[in-house]
Amino acid sequence: MDLQQAYAISRLAAERGSVVVYRCNPIINPRGHERVSQSTLARKLAAIKGFEFAGEFDSTGSYQTPLYFVPSDTLATLELARQLGINGEQDLFGGVVPFPFAATKIITHPLAHAAAQAPIGWSPDFAQRVQPVVLPGFSAFTPDDARQAAASLLRQGRVRLKKASGIGGTGQSVIADAGMLESALQALDVAELAQVGLVLERNLSDVATHSVGQVRVGPLLATYCGIQHLTRNSHGEEVYGGSSLTVVRGNFDALLALDLSDATRTAIAQARAYHAAAMASFPGIMASRCNYDVAQGIDEEGRWHSGVLEQSWRIGGASGAEIAALEAFLADPGLNVVQASTTETYQANPTLPPDAMIYCQQVDERIGPITKYARLEPYAHP
């Protein structure tokens, strides 16, 4: 059975509806590469579900229901989800959180001290639950709290500062001493810091970043593990360059039945613990797309660390591979595991593999030329 036949069967079997992209931030450049990528992948999700792709959501528009949403970011309030008619994970590709900060990496670490400033809804319980499965670090919402957090961490080596709003490796710097910290803090907007926060974390070298995740679209459930790759963008910055994933049909038990390395099994266990803590600590949270970055590397004292860096409950960098795997599982009911990858390159005229499934290729006015594509390969047993 080829993919088009599978799509046809899916359309006949499924209740007809519409897939729409929901822009969480309408002021994003309408020609931006993220917008192009999300729309292309949303169209693929519509085909998987047997729904019509209806473009970007317009609250005044008329759609074939039910609606299935592909938000550009994690939906930041339960009220917004209810207004859109999102009542569970079968209604969207992504996630919903009760407070805006809960969608960012700021939740990963505890505050520096009991009296530290935090936003309404902050969960000390979550930070306590995940402490065994994250790197040493703190979250801060004021310069003074950041100084106190850094003072503790700098005793054991350099500290990585990360803006909670940064994605794909952007918005980060490494701090070696108090002077460098002051320079970094001076460059921050205090009002923005109070709203979104700053992460201070043990800096590692020789880092491997694992991706662990799970996606559910209709009756299809896929679970995966893999490694992230870095590349340099047109400005010479080191940024996310793609992911190489092993994707199974089914849940984590199916994934763990594969022959995996000890390091990979550690990453999976940590990601699962982080996910369970989030679901328990933030009432109302839901997610049909879950991705966790787990860093493994060496600190300046030669100690090996492994810990979850952050979560992604939205369409993201690995989603091209996730959706390609779902397409493969739909097309072949006997297929249970596949290698799927995404690549992001900033070359003007890249040489692409013949089986590349391109979902974005353009010159972005902010970052220059960019091409994103996915590939599928048979599972290679280690």
Side-chain angles (χ1 to χ4, degrees), residues 83-293:
Q83 290 173 353
L84 293 173
I86 295 172
N87 299 304
E89 64 179 35
Q90 290 289 357
D91 296 329
L92 83 165
F93 187 82
V96 181
V97 293
F99 305 99
F101 72 85
T104 74
K105 61 177 68 72
I106 201 69
I107 65 170
T108 299
H109 297 295
L111 303 174
H113 55 91
Q117 182 173 310
I120 294 174
W122 181 260
S123 175
D125 174 69
F126 176 76
Q128 183 176 2
R129 285 172 182 260
V130 301
Q131 194 165 13
V133 299
V134 303
L135 302 180
F138 297 98
S139 293
F141 294 87
T142 70
D144 283 344
D145 290 341
R147 292 184 185 101
Q148 184 162 338
S152 173
L153 291 170
L154 283 169
R155 297 189 188 103
Q156 282 79 45
R158 293 186 297 173
V159 174
R160 183 170 292 270
L161 259 63
K162 302 192 291 190
K163 291 183 178 179
S165 57
I167 60 173
T170 62
Q172 301 187 18
S173 60
V174 178
I175 303 301
D177 53 43
M180 293 181 68
L181 174 67
E182 286 304 316
S183 297
L185 293 177
Q186 289 296 322
L188 297 177
D189 181 277
V190 175
E192 181 183 2
L193 176 61
Q195 183 176 9
V196 302
L198 182 71
V199 170
L200 301 94
E201 194 171 68
R202 170 76 66 247
N203 186 61
L204 302 181
S205 60
D206 300 323
V207 176
T209 303
H210 294 253
S211 287
V212 179
Q214 190 170 80
V215 290
R216 184 188 297 276
V217 178
L220 291 172
L221 176 66
T223 306
Y224 63 83
C225 60
I227 294 290
Q228 286 188 17
H229 309 292
L230 298 176
T231 190
R232 292 199 177 273
N233 63 18
S234 302
H235 306 296
E237 301 167 322
E238 197 170 59
V239 296
Y240 175 78
S243 300
S244 298
L245 309 176
T246 298
V247 190
V248 300
R249 183 196 299 270
N251 58 22
F252 278 102
D253 290 338
L255 182 64
L256 291 170
L258 300 179
D259 186 4
L260 304 172
S261 69
D262 290 343
T264 297
R265 289 183 179 275
T266 295
I268 292 170
Q270 291 178 326
R272 296 182 76 181
Y274 189 105
H275 176 85
M279 297 300 120
S281 300
F282 295 102
I285 192 173
M286 66 181 82
S288 64
R289 191 269 176 175
C290 310
N291 176 279
Y292 300 93
D293 293 347

